[in-house]
Amino acid sequence: MAKSNKAKTKEKELSVKIRQLTIDDFDAVVTMQLAAFPEMKPWKKEQWEQTVTTFPEGQMGVLLNDVLVASSSSILLNFDEFSINHSWAEITGNGTMSTHNPLGDTLYSIEIMVDPAYRNMKLARRLYEARKKLAREMNLKRIVLGGRLPNYHTVADKMNIREYVQHVMDKKLFDPVLTTQLSNGFVLKRIIKDYLPGDAESCGYATFMEWVNLDYQAEGEQVLNPYVRVCAVQYRMRLVNSFDEFARYCEYFIDVAADYKSDFVLFPEMITMQLLSFLPNQRPGQAVRQLADFTGQYIDFFREMAIRYNTNIIAGSHFSVEDDNELYNISFLFRRDGSFDKQYKLHITPHEKKWWGVKPGEKVAVFDTDCGKIAISICYDIEFPELARIATSKGAQIIFVPFNTDDRRSYNRVRYCAQARAIENQIYVVLAGCVGNLPQVDNLDIQYAQSAILTPSDVEFHRDAIAAEAEAGDETLIYQDLDMQLLKRNRVAGSVRTWLDRRNDLYRILYFEDDQEKIL
């Protein structure tokens, strides 16, 4: 007996996912617009490119088995700046999205649509939920929209717009847009006349709808302090006789940083190489693998320190052997709540390959902390601008750079590139390096450093874009309060806008993460 259509449907593997839309989705979006709104003009190419470039997070699509079947577009506004009876043209700057304000407190829905062939699958609900999630993550006050009334024209000769809306709210009539919005928690605030004068189905009318974010916190009520205090330890490499002796030196600086009420403490790269000074002398490749035996003690010690001293610690970097028996250079973040994460070094220097056989990591990680999102770029990695772009696109506002350089020339490569990353991405960059020497450890004889806390280069920031700087060669620490709100303001109203003004129409970054191709 032949299987029923229902049985065949169950056999099919359905995959539904939501992702950000890109410039390359233009043709698919226009095709869907023509099917969903045949009487309305679709996006122009330049409008779509401007929208996606201006606020990529607000452009979402639903893919069913990798086919785009629904989409939504939004911008950010300070809604109080607009008139009560606004039009779509006013709210969007005549479709240019020039009204978008990255510091706005309101997510405004420009459009939402579902391919007619895929309706009745609750795809719009997925988009509404995704928008609510975005509003919560961005701490927005609300989501508002001007909703079309596509069924009104069928009864316009029998009732006025207020009667029609009331009938829909009373469930006496069905409207595909208003009914959906009401079922997704939106509240009717008013009716707008001439919202889209060319919308014959709605007779030019729209309903002004609002969803309020109950998790919203006004600026004065923010849990996160707008100021984050960071500390960089310029650490002297010296001979030690045990792990406990190494730990005592580290705890001293953590204690001092805690006295200054630092939110983050950064140690230099390869700080645990000191441990080789009391271990049997072996060939470099074998010697450095001995450090893996201390990984458990290293993690336990710094976790305890982060909790005891109530600070987040980027514990330099440590060589560790993973399950694949390969050697990696890893920087650990120990949070003050006891949790920890790690960033693998992604670019391995010729020296590390030759002497130690270090293998590269595969992912740019961005970490959530109680002071916002951060990233870690281990020494050589800061010399590759794409990594900082990726980290910033994921929300990182501070990049911590543990480094280890032997002379001023190699230090300058790290320092100048770190300063460039701060300017390019309008972020803060914190560097901490080693000084001193380890005469009994091969291939790590001398270290040179001038640790620094760097900023974008603009009027609001410190002169020379240097918030704090250590004396070259001295064992010490530096600390500074960083204004996180200033970064946001600078991106919008700075003398230049090196983050927002990127020519995404001319060039983009293609990278791979978790076996997926991504475009920035």
Side-chain angles (χ1 to χ4, degrees):
M1 180 182 293
K3 293 183 179 180
S4 67
N5 289 335
K6 185 175 182 180
K8 290 180 180 178
T9 300
K10 287 184 178 179
E11 289 181 353
K12 294 180 180 178
E13 291 292 335
L14 294 180
S15 170
V16 181
K17 63 181 179 181
I18 295 178
R19 66 162 170 82
Q20 286 185 19
L21 298 175
T22 69
I23 293 174
D24 295 336
D25 292 308
F26 173 72
D27 290 337
V29 169
V30 168
T31 299
M32 189 160 48
Q33 276 185 316
L34 292 173
F37 312 130
E39 296 183 2
M40 300 180 65
K41 292 181 179 179
W43 290 96
K44 296 179 180 178
K45 186 67 176 288
E46 57 269 24
Q47 282 181 314
W48 180 249
E49 291 181 351
Q50 181 66 28
T51 302
V52 171
T53 302
T54 298
F55 184 39
E57 300 93 332
Q59 321 315 316
M60 306 174 185
V62 178
L63 280 74
L64 182 64
N65 291 345
D66 294 324
V67 176
L68 186 65
V69 295
S71 71
S72 71
S73 295
S74 306
I75 57 176
L76 291 179
L77 302 173
N78 276 329
F79 192 70
D80 293 338
E81 298 174 358
F82 294 86
S83 63
I84 294 176
N85 294 308
H86 60 273
S87 66
W88 187 89
E90 177 190 353
I91 215 76
T92 65
N94 289 316
T96 65
M97 310 309 151
S98 60
T99 53
H100 173 74
N101 183 346
L103 300 180
D105 62 5
T106 299
L107 187 71
Y108 195 98
S109 171
I110 298 300
E111 179 182 75
I112 188 166
M113 60 180 173
V114 177
D115 188 315
Y118 296 92
R119 286 174 181 166
N120 300 318
M121 294 182 66
K122 301 188 184 324
L123 301 179
R125 177 173 295 180
R126 292 176 184 265
L127 290 170
Y128 282 117
E129 289 303 314
R131 283 174 168 177
K132 293 173 185 176
K133 181 174 182 290
L134 178 63
R136 294 187 183 103
E137 290 175 347
M138 298 185 71
N139 190 39
L140 301 177
K141 184 182 295 184
R142 58 195 169 187
I143 303 173
V144 298
L145 55 86
R148 298 180 63 244
L149 298 160
N151 281 3
Y152 178 52
H153 71 284
T154 63
V155 296
D157 59 337
K158 302 175 183 176
M159 62 181 69
N160 62 39
I161 187 63
R162 290 173 183 80
E163 292 172 328
Y164 174 76
V165 169
Q166 189 60 54
H167 275 60
V168 174
M169 294 180 69
D170 293 340
K171 303 188 185 305
K172 297 176 182 177
L173 292 176
F174 172 81
D175 185 275
V177 175
L178 179 55
T179 301
T180 300
Q181 291 163 350
L182 292 170
S183 66
N184 280 279
F186 283 78
V187 175
L188 176 66
K189 305 298 290 186
R190 68 181 66 90
I191 296 171
I192 304 175
K193 185 179 180 181
D194 296 327
Y195 182 76
L196 275 170
D199 183 2
E201 290 183 330
S202 305
C203 300
Y205 289 103
T207 50
F208 178 64
M209 311 289 292
E210 180 183 40
W211 174 84
V212 175
N213 178 14
L214 299 180
D215 297 327
Y216 170 74
Q217 292 174 317
E219 186 171 346
E221 303 170 343
Q222 289 283 357
V223 173
L224 298 183
N225 189 329
Y227 289 95
V228 174
R229 182 166 293 182
V230 298
C231 172
V233 178
Q234 188 157 287
Y235 184 87
R236 180 170 296 280
M237 298 291 263
R238 50 172 68 82
L239 302 180
V240 295
N241 295 311
S242 65
F243 183 90
D244 289 342
E245 185 177 356
F246 159 76
R248 284 196 298 273
Y249 287 124
C250 292
E251 184 173 3
Y252 166 76
F253 284 106
I254 296 169
D255 187 9
V256 173
D259 285 343
Y260 286 112
K261 295 181 171 55
S262 298
D263 295 300
F264 291 96
V265 184
L266 172 66
F267 283 93
E269 181 189 26
M270 300 185 191
I271 190 172
T272 56
M273 289 290 279
Q274 286 178 286
L275 303 177
L276 294 181
S277 61
F278 65 82
L279 294 176
N281 191 18
Q282 300 188 45
R283 291 185 297 106
Q286 293 301 116
V288 77
R289 283 178 172 267
Q290 297 176 92
L291 296 178
D293 295 336
F294 294 93
T295 300
Q297 283 179 270
Y298 167 87
I299 291 174
D300 290 343
F301 167 70
F302 279 106
R303 285 185 72 184
E304 181 185 346
M305 292 297 99
I307 295 170
R308 179 186 299 178
Y309 290 99
N310 190 30
T311 188
N312 302 294
I313 302 173
I314 298 96
S317 78
H318 171 69
F319 287 113
S320 183
V321 176
E322 300 284 290
D323 294 337
D324 53 9
N325 201 35
E326 300 288 3
L327 183 69
Y328 297 94
N329 189 352
I330 306 172
S331 183
F332 286 77
L333 163 67
F334 296 93
R335 300 181 184 87
R336 48 184 150 203
D337 66 1
S339 63
F340 70 93
D341 274 306
K342 52 188 177 180
Q343 171 67 64
Y344 293 79
K345 192 170 186 177
L346 302 178
H347 294 87
I348 308 303
T349 65
H351 184 94
E352 289 173 286
K353 292 177 184 176
K354 176 182 177 181
W355 292 105
W356 301 320
V358 181
K359 297 297 181 181
E362 299 294 333
K363 182 177 180 179
V364 178
V366 170
F367 307 109
D368 289 310
T369 74
D370 57 352
C371 297
K373 293 181 181 293
I374 69 160
I376 302 171
S377 193
I378 306 173
C379 196
Y380 194 31
D381 282 342
I382 201 64
E383 298 178 31
F384 297 84
E386 299 85 359
L387 301 187
R389 284 289 192 196
I390 294 169
T392 307
S393 74
K394 292 181 177 183
Q397 294 180 292
I398 308 174
I399 295 182
F400 290 93
V401 183
F403 71 91
N404 190 304
T405 52
D406 57 350
D407 65 8
R408 187 173 180 85
R409 295 179 187 86
S410 56
Y411 161 75
N412 282 341
R413 290 194 296 269
V414 174
R415 171 63 177 269
Y416 295 154
C417 289
Q419 186 71 76
R421 303 299 87 87
I423 293 170
E424 293 162 354
N425 300 290
Q426 294 177 281
I427 57 173
Y428 296 116
V429 180
V430 183
L431 298 90
C434 292
V435 296
N437 55 71
L438 285 173
Q440 293 179 218
V441 177
D442 291 336
N443 306 305
L444 205 72
D445 306 303
I446 58 173
Q447 287 86 40
Y448 177 93
Q450 188 173 20
S451 302
I453 300 170
L454 308 175
T455 75
S457 185
D458 210 340
V459 177
E460 305 95 327
F461 297 97
H462 298 78
R463 180 184 172 185
D464 299 326
I466 302 170
E469 187 175 40
E471 291 294 328
D474 289 351
E475 183 173 42
T476 186
L477 61 76
I478 55 175
Y479 65 95
Q480 182 66 42
D481 284 343
L482 302 180
D483 186 345
M484 309 313 291
Q485 295 299 321
L486 179 56
L487 287 184
K488 294 181 179 180
R489 295 195 298 271
N490 183 250
R491 286 187 176 182
V492 176
S495 300
V496 294
R497 303 185 303 172
T498 46
W499 177 254
L500 293 178
D501 289 343
R502 290 167 299 143
R503 286 286 305 278
N504 287 332
D505 61 322
L506 186 63
Y507 57 87
R508 285 180 282 173
I509 295 175
L510 169 66
Y511 67 100
F512 300 89
E513 184 174 287
D514 300 329
D515 297 323
Q516 291 186 355
E517 182 179 291
K518 300 189 177 184
I519 297 176
L520 170 61

PDB file of all heavy atoms in Angstrom, residues 117-138:
ATOM      1  N   ALA A 117       3.469  30.818   0.361  1.00  0.00           N
ATOM      2  CA  ALA A 117       3.491  29.358   0.255  1.00  0.00           C
ATOM      3  C   ALA A 117       3.812  28.687   1.587  1.00  0.00           C
ATOM      4  O   ALA A 117       3.653  27.466   1.717  1.00  0.00           O
ATOM      5  CB  ALA A 117       4.513  28.929  -0.795  1.00  0.00           C
ATOM      6  N   TYR A 118       4.262  29.477   2.576  1.00  0.00           N
ATOM      7  CA  TYR A 118       4.674  28.888   3.859  1.00  0.00           C
ATOM      8  C   TYR A 118       3.912  29.493   5.033  1.00  0.00           C
ATOM      9  O   TYR A 118       4.384  29.457   6.160  1.00  0.00           O
ATOM     10  CB  TYR A 118       6.179  29.080   4.049  1.00  0.00           C
ATOM     11  CG  TYR A 118       7.007  28.355   3.022  1.00  0.00           C
ATOM     12  CD1 TYR A 118       7.402  29.002   1.851  1.00  0.00           C
ATOM     13  CD2 TYR A 118       7.366  27.026   3.202  1.00  0.00           C
ATOM     14  CE1 TYR A 118       8.153  28.347   0.897  1.00  0.00           C
ATOM     15  CE2 TYR A 118       8.125  26.363   2.255  1.00  0.00           C
ATOM     16  CZ  TYR A 118       8.506  27.022   1.105  1.00  0.00           C
ATOM     17  OH  TYR A 118       9.244  26.363   0.163  1.00  0.00           O
ATOM     18  N   ARG A 119       2.758  30.060   4.794  1.00  0.00           N
ATOM     19  CA  ARG A 119       1.972  30.606   5.883  1.00  0.00           C
ATOM     20  C   ARG A 119       1.320  29.481   6.689  1.00  0.00           C
ATOM     21  O   ARG A 119       1.300  28.336   6.274  1.00  0.00           O
ATOM     22  CB  ARG A 119       0.929  31.590   5.341  1.00  0.00           C
ATOM     23  CG  ARG A 119       1.578  32.908   4.899  1.00  0.00           C
ATOM     24  CD  ARG A 119       0.641  33.857   4.231  1.00  0.00           C
ATOM     25  NE  ARG A 119       1.346  35.085   3.830  1.00  0.00           N
ATOM     26  CZ  ARG A 119       0.851  35.989   2.999  1.00  0.00           C
ATOM     27  NH1 ARG A 119      -0.367  35.842   2.497  1.00  0.00           N
ATOM     28  NH2 ARG A 119       1.569  37.052   2.685  1.00  0.00           N
ATOM     29  N   ASN A 120       0.784  29.839   7.851  1.00  0.00           N
ATOM     30  CA  ASN A 120       0.192  28.877   8.780  1.00  0.00           C
ATOM     31  C   ASN A 120       1.223  27.918   9.385  1.00  0.00           C
ATOM     32  O   ASN A 120       0.879  26.821   9.821  1.00  0.00           O
ATOM     33  CB  ASN A 120      -0.926  28.065   8.090  1.00  0.00           C
ATOM     34  CG  ASN A 120      -2.037  28.964   7.579  1.00  0.00           C
ATOM     35  OD1 ASN A 120      -2.446  29.894   8.267  1.00  0.00           O
ATOM     36  ND2 ASN A 120      -2.509  28.685   6.369  1.00  0.00           N
ATOM     37  N   MET A 121       2.488  28.347   9.400  1.00  0.00           N
ATOM     38  CA  MET A 121       3.546  27.559  10.042  1.00  0.00           C
ATOM     39  C   MET A 121       4.127  28.311  11.248  1.00  0.00           C
ATOM     40  O   MET A 121       5.160  27.937  11.776  1.00  0.00           O
ATOM     41  CB  MET A 121       4.665  27.243   9.048  1.00  0.00           C
ATOM     42  CG  MET A 121       4.252  26.337   7.907  1.00  0.00           C
ATOM     43  SD  MET A 121       5.629  25.952   6.779  1.00  0.00           S
ATOM     44  CE  MET A 121       6.686  24.990   7.850  1.00  0.00           C
ATOM     45  N   LYS A 122       3.443  29.400  11.662  1.00  0.00           N
ATOM     46  CA  LYS A 122       3.877  30.210  12.806  1.00  0.00           C
ATOM     47  C   LYS A 122       5.295  30.753  12.630  1.00  0.00           C
ATOM     48  O   LYS A 122       6.051  30.906  13.594  1.00  0.00           O
ATOM     49  CB  LYS A 122       3.760  29.414  14.108  1.00  0.00           C
ATOM     50  CG  LYS A 122       2.348  28.917  14.404  1.00  0.00           C
ATOM     51  CD  LYS A 122       2.253  28.321  15.776  1.00  0.00           C
ATOM     52  CE  LYS A 122       0.889  27.709  16.091  1.00  0.00           C
ATOM     53  NZ  LYS A 122      -0.262  28.385  15.557  1.00  0.00           N
ATOM     54  N   LEU A 123       5.658  31.078  11.391  1.00  0.00           N
ATOM     55  CA  LEU A 123       6.991  31.638  11.130  1.00  0.00           C
ATOM     56  C   LEU A 123       7.099  33.073  11.629  1.00  0.00           C
ATOM     57  O   LEU A 123       8.159  33.499  12.102  1.00  0.00           O
ATOM     58  CB  LEU A 123       7.307  31.563   9.635  1.00  0.00           C
ATOM     59  CG  LEU A 123       7.305  30.155   9.018  1.00  0.00           C
ATOM     60  CD1 LEU A 123       7.613  30.224   7.536  1.00  0.00           C
ATOM     61  CD2 LEU A 123       8.315  29.263   9.740  1.00  0.00           C
ATOM     62  N   ALA A 124       5.998  33.827  11.508  1.00  0.00           N
ATOM     63  CA  ALA A 124       6.016  35.201  12.015  1.00  0.00           C
ATOM     64  C   ALA A 124       6.270  35.211  13.520  1.00  0.00           C
ATOM     65  O   ALA A 124       6.973  36.083  14.037  1.00  0.00           O
ATOM     66  CB  ALA A 124       4.704  35.906  11.686  1.00  0.00           C
ATOM     67  N   ARG A 125       5.713  34.224  14.220  1.00  0.00           N
ATOM     68  CA  ARG A 125       5.921  34.155  15.669  1.00  0.00           C
ATOM     69  C   ARG A 125       7.407  33.994  15.985  1.00  0.00           C
ATOM     70  O   ARG A 125       7.919  34.593  16.936  1.00  0.00           O
ATOM     71  CB  ARG A 125       5.122  32.997  16.259  1.00  0.00           C
ATOM     72  CG  ARG A 125       5.353  32.809  17.756  1.00  0.00           C
ATOM     73  CD  ARG A 125       4.423  31.758  18.336  1.00  0.00           C
ATOM     74  NE  ARG A 125       3.032  32.190  18.253  1.00  0.00           N
ATOM     75  CZ  ARG A 125       2.005  31.466  18.676  1.00  0.00           C
ATOM     76  NH1 ARG A 125       2.228  30.258  19.193  1.00  0.00           N
ATOM     77  NH2 ARG A 125       0.772  31.918  18.567  1.00  0.00           N
ATOM     78  N   ARG A 126       8.091  33.192  15.192  1.00  0.00           N
ATOM     79  CA  ARG A 126       9.529  33.021  15.407  1.00  0.00           C
ATOM     80  C   ARG A 126      10.263  34.358  15.270  1.00  0.00           C
ATOM     81  O   ARG A 126      11.188  34.656  16.027  1.00  0.00           O
ATOM     82  CB  ARG A 126      10.097  32.009  14.408  1.00  0.00           C
ATOM     83  CG  ARG A 126       9.629  30.580  14.624  1.00  0.00           C
ATOM     84  CD  ARG A 126      10.169  29.662  13.536  1.00  0.00           C
ATOM     85  NE  ARG A 126       9.680  28.314  13.659  1.00  0.00           N
ATOM     86  CZ  ARG A 126      10.328  27.323  14.277  1.00  0.00           C
ATOM     87  NH1 ARG A 126      11.500  27.574  14.833  1.00  0.00           N
ATOM     88  NH2 ARG A 126       9.819  26.110  14.342  1.00  0.00           N
ATOM     89  N   LEU A 127       9.862  35.150  14.292  1.00  0.00           N
ATOM     90  CA  LEU A 127      10.514  36.446  14.076  1.00  0.00           C
ATOM     91  C   LEU A 127      10.198  37.418  15.213  1.00  0.00           C
ATOM     92  O   LEU A 127      11.075  38.162  15.664  1.00  0.00           O
ATOM     93  CB  LEU A 127      10.088  37.029  12.736  1.00  0.00           C
ATOM     94  CG  LEU A 127      10.638  36.301  11.508  1.00  0.00           C
ATOM     95  CD1 LEU A 127       9.969  36.809  10.237  1.00  0.00           C
ATOM     96  CD2 LEU A 127      12.146  36.461  11.414  1.00  0.00           C
ATOM     97  N   TYR A 128       8.946  37.419  15.665  1.00  0.00           N
ATOM     98  CA  TYR A 128       8.594  38.292  16.791  1.00  0.00           C
ATOM     99  C   TYR A 128       9.395  37.903  18.045  1.00  0.00           C
ATOM    100  O   TYR A 128       9.871  38.769  18.788  1.00  0.00           O
ATOM    101  CB  TYR A 128       7.093  38.229  17.084  1.00  0.00           C
ATOM    102  CG  TYR A 128       6.252  39.042  16.124  1.00  0.00           C
ATOM    103  CD1 TYR A 128       5.314  38.442  15.295  1.00  0.00           C
ATOM    104  CD2 TYR A 128       6.397  40.432  16.063  1.00  0.00           C
ATOM    105  CE1 TYR A 128       4.535  39.189  14.417  1.00  0.00           C
ATOM    106  CE2 TYR A 128       5.621  41.182  15.192  1.00  0.00           C
ATOM    107  CZ  TYR A 128       4.699  40.565  14.372  1.00  0.00           C
ATOM    108  OH  TYR A 128       3.939  41.324  13.496  1.00  0.00           O
ATOM    109  N   GLU A 129       9.532  36.613  18.283  1.00  0.00           N
ATOM    110  CA  GLU A 129      10.295  36.170  19.445  1.00  0.00           C
ATOM    111  C   GLU A 129      11.768  36.538  19.308  1.00  0.00           C
ATOM    112  O   GLU A 129      12.430  36.898  20.285  1.00  0.00           O
ATOM    113  CB  GLU A 129      10.137  34.658  19.634  1.00  0.00           C
ATOM    114  CG  GLU A 129       8.755  34.231  20.110  1.00  0.00           C
ATOM    115  CD  GLU A 129       8.355  34.910  21.408  1.00  0.00           C
ATOM    116  OE1 GLU A 129       9.188  34.965  22.334  1.00  0.00           O
ATOM    117  OE2 GLU A 129       7.206  35.405  21.491  1.00  0.00           O
ATOM    118  N   ALA A 130      12.291  36.441  18.086  1.00  0.00           N
ATOM    119  CA  ALA A 130      13.695  36.819  17.861  1.00  0.00           C
ATOM    120  C   ALA A 130      13.890  38.313  18.110  1.00  0.00           C
ATOM    121  O   ALA A 130      14.918  38.737  18.656  1.00  0.00           O
ATOM    122  CB  ALA A 130      14.114  36.453  16.438  1.00  0.00           C
ATOM    123  N   ARG A 131      12.919  39.117  17.716  1.00  0.00           N
ATOM    124  CA  ARG A 131      13.006  40.556  17.967  1.00  0.00           C
ATOM    125  C   ARG A 131      12.970  40.846  19.471  1.00  0.00           C
ATOM    126  O   ARG A 131      13.704  41.695  19.977  1.00  0.00           O
ATOM    127  CB  ARG A 131      11.837  41.288  17.297  1.00  0.00           C
ATOM    128  CG  ARG A 131      11.987  41.462  15.798  1.00  0.00           C
ATOM    129  CD  ARG A 131      10.718  42.046  15.254  1.00  0.00           C
ATOM    130  NE  ARG A 131      10.851  42.505  13.883  1.00  0.00           N
ATOM    131  CZ  ARG A 131       9.848  42.997  13.166  1.00  0.00           C
ATOM    132  NH1 ARG A 131       8.648  43.075  13.701  1.00  0.00           N
ATOM    133  NH2 ARG A 131      10.043  43.400  11.926  1.00  0.00           N
ATOM    134  N   LYS A 132      12.099  40.162  20.188  1.00  0.00           N
ATOM    135  CA  LYS A 132      12.020  40.366  21.639  1.00  0.00           C
ATOM    136  C   LYS A 132      13.348  39.983  22.302  1.00  0.00           C
ATOM    137  O   LYS A 132      13.825  40.667  23.222  1.00  0.00           O
ATOM    138  CB  LYS A 132      10.871  39.545  22.228  1.00  0.00           C
ATOM    139  CG  LYS A 132       9.488  40.014  21.783  1.00  0.00           C
ATOM    140  CD  LYS A 132       8.410  39.059  22.275  1.00  0.00           C
ATOM    141  CE  LYS A 132       7.041  39.429  21.738  1.00  0.00           C
ATOM    142  NZ  LYS A 132       5.993  38.461  22.136  1.00  0.00           N
ATOM    143  N   LYS A 133      13.946  38.906  21.844  1.00  0.00           N
ATOM    144  CA  LYS A 133      15.235  38.477  22.385  1.00  0.00           C
ATOM    145  C   LYS A 133      16.294  39.546  22.131  1.00  0.00           C
ATOM    146  O   LYS A 133      17.094  39.875  23.018  1.00  0.00           O
ATOM    147  CB  LYS A 133      15.649  37.155  21.751  1.00  0.00           C
ATOM    148  CG  LYS A 133      16.971  36.582  22.241  1.00  0.00           C
ATOM    149  CD  LYS A 133      17.204  35.205  21.644  1.00  0.00           C
ATOM    150  CE  LYS A 133      18.506  34.584  22.152  1.00  0.00           C
ATOM    151  NZ  LYS A 133      19.694  35.261  21.633  1.00  0.00           N
ATOM    152  N   LEU A 134      16.292  40.117  20.922  1.00  0.00           N
ATOM    153  CA  LEU A 134      17.245  41.179  20.593  1.00  0.00           C
ATOM    154  C   LEU A 134      17.020  42.397  21.482  1.00  0.00           C
ATOM    155  O   LEU A 134      17.974  43.005  21.976  1.00  0.00           O
ATOM    156  CB  LEU A 134      17.103  41.559  19.125  1.00  0.00           C
ATOM    157  CG  LEU A 134      18.005  42.697  18.623  1.00  0.00           C
ATOM    158  CD1 LEU A 134      19.477  42.297  18.728  1.00  0.00           C
ATOM    159  CD2 LEU A 134      17.653  43.075  17.187  1.00  0.00           C
ATOM    160  N   ALA A 135      15.750  42.764  21.703  1.00  0.00           N
ATOM    161  CA  ALA A 135      15.433  43.922  22.551  1.00  0.00           C
ATOM    162  C   ALA A 135      15.929  43.713  23.975  1.00  0.00           C
ATOM    163  O   ALA A 135      16.443  44.643  24.605  1.00  0.00           O
ATOM    164  CB  ALA A 135      13.929  44.183  22.536  1.00  0.00           C
ATOM    165  N   ARG A 136      15.782  42.504  24.479  1.00  0.00           N
ATOM    166  CA  ARG A 136      16.268  42.227  25.845  1.00  0.00           C
ATOM    167  C   ARG A 136      17.787  42.278  25.898  1.00  0.00           C
ATOM    168  O   ARG A 136      18.366  42.836  26.831  1.00  0.00           O
ATOM    169  CB  ARG A 136      15.754  40.861  26.305  1.00  0.00           C
ATOM    170  CG  ARG A 136      14.236  40.785  26.491  1.00  0.00           C
ATOM    171  CD  ARG A 136      13.829  39.451  27.113  1.00  0.00           C
ATOM    172  NE  ARG A 136      12.381  39.336  27.222  1.00  0.00           N
ATOM    173  CZ  ARG A 136      11.635  38.597  26.399  1.00  0.00           C
ATOM    174  NH1 ARG A 136      12.199  37.929  25.388  1.00  0.00           N
ATOM    175  NH2 ARG A 136      10.320  38.537  26.555  1.00  0.00           N
ATOM    176  N   GLU A 137      18.433  41.677  24.898  1.00  0.00           N
ATOM    177  CA  GLU A 137      19.899  41.653  24.890  1.00  0.00           C
ATOM    178  C   GLU A 137      20.480  43.057  24.786  1.00  0.00           C
ATOM    179  O   GLU A 137      21.521  43.348  25.376  1.00  0.00           O
ATOM    180  CB  GLU A 137      20.395  40.801  23.717  1.00  0.00           C
ATOM    181  CG  GLU A 137      20.136  39.312  23.891  1.00  0.00           C
ATOM    182  CD  GLU A 137      20.524  38.519  22.663  1.00  0.00           C
ATOM    183  OE1 GLU A 137      20.764  39.145  21.596  1.00  0.00           O
ATOM    184  OE2 GLU A 137      20.588  37.282  22.752  1.00  0.00           O
ATOM    185  N   MET A 138      19.800  43.947  24.047  1.00  0.00           N
ATOM    186  CA  MET A 138      20.294  45.307  23.865  1.00  0.00           C
ATOM    187  C   MET A 138      19.760  46.269  24.915  1.00  0.00           C
ATOM    188  O   MET A 138      20.041  47.466  24.853  1.00  0.00           O
ATOM    189  CB  MET A 138      19.931  45.807  22.456  1.00  0.00           C
ATOM    190  CG  MET A 138      20.549  45.005  21.331  1.00  0.00           C
ATOM    191  SD  MET A 138      20.219  45.723  19.695  1.00  0.00           S
ATOM    192  CE  MET A 138      21.263  47.193  19.776  1.00  0.00           C
TER     193      MET A 138
END
